[in-house]
Amino acid sequence: MSPFRQRIDRLRQGENSPRAPWLVLAGAMALASGFILYYGRDGWFSIDEAQWISDSPQLDLGGALSPHVGHLVFIPRLVYKLMLETVGIEYIAYRILTVLAILLCTALFFTWARRRLPDFVALAFSLPILLFAYDPLHLIAGNGFTVMLALSFGIAALLAWDREDRTGDIWTFAFLVLGGLTYTVALPFSVAIAFAAVLDRRRDRLWVGAVPIVLYLAWRTLGDVGATDTAAGGGDLLNILLLPAWSFGGISGVLGSWSGLSYDFIRSGTMQPGTGIGPALAVVAIAALGWRIATRGAGTKLWTVIAVAIALFAAQTIAVGGIERYPEMPRYMYPGLIVVFLVVVEAASGFKWSRAAFIGLWLITVISLMTSFSLLRDQSEVREWKATQTRVEVTAVGLLDQTPNPPPVIRQRRRMLTDDFNPVTGSAYGALGYDPATLKDRDPDIGNAVDRFLFNALKIGFQPVTEPFSRADCRPLEAVGGRYRMWVPRGGAVVIGKQDAKVWIGRFGTGRKLRAGRVGPNSPQLLKLRYDGEPTPWFLKSKAPGVSVCPID
């Protein structure tokens, strides 16, 4: 037998140095951390983070316990408050926080898995957690630590539960409570622990999982978290009828992503839901699990991790509605990967790994990591675009807040900010947006985006002239680079034309796509503007000559 085969056989049988897998894992952690930080370097605060920043200056105990889109995020709110008061809005610090949570989650999962599998088999299942770019929000963005830390607490609870003693139960309870205070994805672990106590007929241990559930339900009740309004974080219990369909979709998405074969070369990203190899892998996995239970039975530990997966998918299913949600959604992939891997590892416990199976598993791991690395590179441009859009919206919302009689939030097309974002408190720790005075020196697309937001919110456009006006002070648009252009007086103006002409408007950008309206010889138009504290005026632009601007009082 060749030395290579001998080495493979020793590894698949668990005959290795105790330090070897940890050294490999440490090296992989260092590489993954570098990749995540480098390719996410142009990112910026997400919609959730921007809201936490806005809330932080006046944060008290009640605010920390308040729901965020139906989630209890007590620990993330406190962590962000502490970091904002110490490091401000240096985003690299928040991204490092996410990386540390991913490393912790991976280390805990490996610790749990190696108690059930040979070290290098457990390692093969652990490495994809380090770089799972199918869920970019929780890999690159700073608030990814909310989900990854909550999952870490859940895995830590399983590790402590395995002790089966009073100390282990106390630690399990502590981890479950901490997980519940971090994010909702920890709740399924409480459900599973309570279920395990029932299966084992250990009433003396039932409190460990039951009390965290009761505390969470009490929080929802006392906090009046939207019981049935799914858009506000509530749930529709009848959606539980969709649990089998949702679970299959979730398993398909996770396994297709883990395989590294769900890559859409046309879109340079993940494949559309329900396509690719995912559904086939889900059928095989479910059939294999059924065979495993039918032939070898299922102990409490296997039913426990199955309960974690079912509880997670059930919670996601109940929340469907109001906001677009589907089981293969990227934001669900990291939690899905963890719970599916928990079931796979527990189900595989006790089996001997053949040489072919061991090599095949590592081949999948390598392909998975290679595809995730490619996705990470692809998504760096998306993160940069989202960062720009967030800064644009913060800038525009801040200007609107300074406008007399500002338009209501419902007229502000916020996509990267919540309706509750306050531009005043949001800037307490530093500027989240652009300085309006510098927009002229930036990429024109940034100024155009700010202009478009203001244009739509203020409903800027021509109106019919209903009162007489003086033409004595009218001034024609000046020729500039083959176009005609002029600043609009702050008090507004009547716009007239010697011929039919289309007129565009701009302020910080080029005025390329915002159409104010049309003027003609017999159709003067009124343009009224509401200005904020920024002195940069609006301007009109036209391709046709003969358009004039007449100031009004």
Side-chain angles (χ1 to χ4, degrees):
M1 184 181 298
S2 68
F4 174 75
R5 289 185 176 181
Q6 291 178 351
R7 181 63 174 167
I8 291 296
D9 286 346
R10 287 197 298 270
L11 292 179
R12 69 183 174 84
Q13 293 168 4
E15 299 172 1
N16 53 268
S17 160
R19 292 191 304 170
W22 285 108
L23 291 174
V24 174
L25 183 59
M29 285 179 169
L31 284 174
S33 300
F35 291 148
I36 295 169
L37 293 175
Y38 177 77
Y39 285 106
R41 64 191 182 279
D42 293 321
W44 194 237
F45 293 97
S46 67
I47 184 172
D48 298 312
E49 294 172 289
Q51 185 58 50
W52 297 342
I53 293 172
S54 175
D55 294 340
S56 286
Q58 301 171 348
L59 189 69
D60 55 15
L61 180 61
L65 288 170
S66 64
H68 176 73
V69 198
H71 297 287
L72 175 57
V73 288
F74 179 79
I75 289 178
R77 286 186 186 275
L78 293 185
V79 170
Y80 266 66
K81 173 68 172 179
L82 175 63
M83 294 185 68
L84 289 166
E85 296 288 351
T86 53
V87 301
I89 58 171
E90 292 294 330
Y91 197 47
I92 182 65
Y94 300 86
R95 295 184 51 243
I96 289 174
L97 192 66
T98 290
V99 170
L100 292 176
I102 292 172
L103 300 185
L104 175 63
C105 187
T106 305
L108 288 170
F109 181 87
F110 174 65
T111 302
W112 179 86
R114 71 193 297 254
R115 295 181 179 181
R116 291 153 172 81
L117 301 172
D119 283 351
F120 276 83
V121 176
L123 188 61
F125 283 110
S126 303
L127 292 181
I129 300 172
L130 284 175
L131 197 69
F132 197 55
Y134 286 89
D135 186 347
L137 177 65
H138 300 133
L139 180 72
I140 301 176
N143 67 312
F145 101 97
T146 58
V147 167
M148 300 312 296
L149 182 61
L151 290 170
S152 298
F153 282 132
I155 298 171
L158 292 179
L159 283 165
W161 183 253
D162 283 345
R163 290 172 52 109
E164 298 186 358
D165 58 19
R166 177 62 64 179
T167 301
D169 287 355
I170 293 173
W171 277 110
T172 301
F173 174 75
F175 289 135
L176 292 176
V177 171
L178 289 171
L181 290 170
T182 303
Y183 202 69
T184 314
V185 293
L187 191 63
F189 291 89
S190 296
V191 173
I193 294 296
F195 180 64
V198 171
L199 283 181
D200 286 338
R201 299 180 180 179
R202 292 291 304 273
R203 294 182 180 179
D204 59 318
R205 304 185 77 193
L206 181 60
W207 68 275
V208 179
V211 172
I213 297 172
V214 171
L215 291 175
Y216 176 78
L217 293 176
W219 168 79
R220 290 190 69 91
T221 301
L222 295 175
D224 195 25
V225 181
T228 57
D229 183 359
T230 52
D236 184 349
L237 293 179
L238 286 179
N239 282 344
I240 201 67
L241 299 174
L242 297 171
L243 178 59
W246 182 280
S247 300
F248 183 81
I251 296 170
S252 298
V254 166
L255 294 181
S257 301
W258 169 58
S259 74
L261 302 179
S262 290
Y263 186 89
D264 190 330
F265 287 89
I266 296 177
R267 298 169 58 247
S268 294
T270 58
M271 300 189 74
Q272 294 295 313
T275 62
I277 197 173
L281 291 177
V283 170
V284 172
I286 294 171
L289 179 62
W291 172 84
R292 159 68 166 80
I293 294 174
T295 57
R296 301 188 60 173
T300 299
K301 290 185 177 181
L302 179 56
W303 284 120
T304 300
V305 291
I306 290 175
V308 175
I310 293 175
L312 176 70
F313 291 140
Q316 294 171 348
T317 306
I318 291 171
V320 173
I323 309 174
E324 181 185 10
R325 291 288 186 264
Y326 52 92
E328 302 92 341
M329 203 169 187
R331 66 171 59 241
Y332 291 141
M333 288 297 99
Y334 248 129
L337 179 74
I338 297 299
V339 301
V340 168
F341 272 14
L342 288 173
V343 175
V344 170
V345 168
E346 191 64 64
S349 177
F351 283 91
K352 292 184 177 180
W353 286 77
S354 67
R355 188 184 302 152
F358 181 79
I359 293 174
L361 174 63
W362 270 95
L363 182 62
I364 294 173
T365 298
V366 171
I367 293 173
S368 177
L369 291 172
M370 290 192 301
T371 304
S372 277
F373 176 75
S374 298
L375 284 170
L376 182 62
R377 292 176 61 228
D378 295 338
Q379 291 157 356
S380 63
E381 294 183 2
V382 176
R383 298 306 304 176
E384 182 179 0
W385 178 84
K386 287 187 175 181
T388 300
Q389 292 303 114
T390 299
R391 287 186 169 103
V392 163
E393 289 194 18
V394 171
T395 304
V397 168
L399 290 170
L400 290 173
D401 190 63
Q402 303 171 27
T403 304
N405 300 316
V409 172
I410 195 172
R411 276 181 31 201
Q412 301 175 25
R413 298 184 180 180
R414 299 187 181 189
R415 294 181 174 86
M416 311 305 293
L417 299 174
T418 67
D419 289 348
D420 295 327
F421 176 81
N422 185 326
V424 176
T425 56
S427 61
Y429 303 99
L432 292 180
Y434 299 108
D435 180 352
T438 68
L439 291 176
K440 286 293 183 182
D441 301 322
R442 298 184 182 275
D443 186 323
D445 287 341
I446 294 176
N448 287 334
V450 174
D451 287 353
R452 186 180 306 109
F453 195 100
L454 297 176
F455 178 87
N456 290 325
L458 294 170
K459 292 190 174 181
I460 295 174
F462 287 162
Q463 305 172 32
V465 176
T466 57
E467 298 179 3
F469 65 95
S470 172
R471 296 175 182 259
D473 296 327
C474 295
R475 295 178 57 191
L477 271 60
E478 301 172 353
V480 179
R483 297 288 188 272
Y484 299 88
R485 174 172 168 156
M486 177 173 286
W487 301 110
V488 181
R490 295 183 71 86
V494 172
V495 184
I496 60 176
K498 295 181 179 179
Q499 59 179 323
D500 287 338
K502 296 177 183 177
V503 181
W504 285 263
I505 190 169
R507 187 181 183 189
F508 301 106
T510 61
R512 186 177 57 191
K513 294 184 178 180
L514 301 180
R515 183 174 169 181
R518 181 189 293 269
V519 297
N522 300 312
S523 59
Q525 298 293 317
L526 175 65
L527 179 63
K528 288 187 176 181
L529 299 172
R530 283 185 283 166
Y531 272 94
D532 42 67
E534 169 57 35
T536 304
W538 290 88
F539 63 85
L540 294 180
K541 186 176 180 180
S542 179
K543 296 180 181 179
V547 177
S548 297
V549 173
C550 312
I552 59 174
D553 295 331

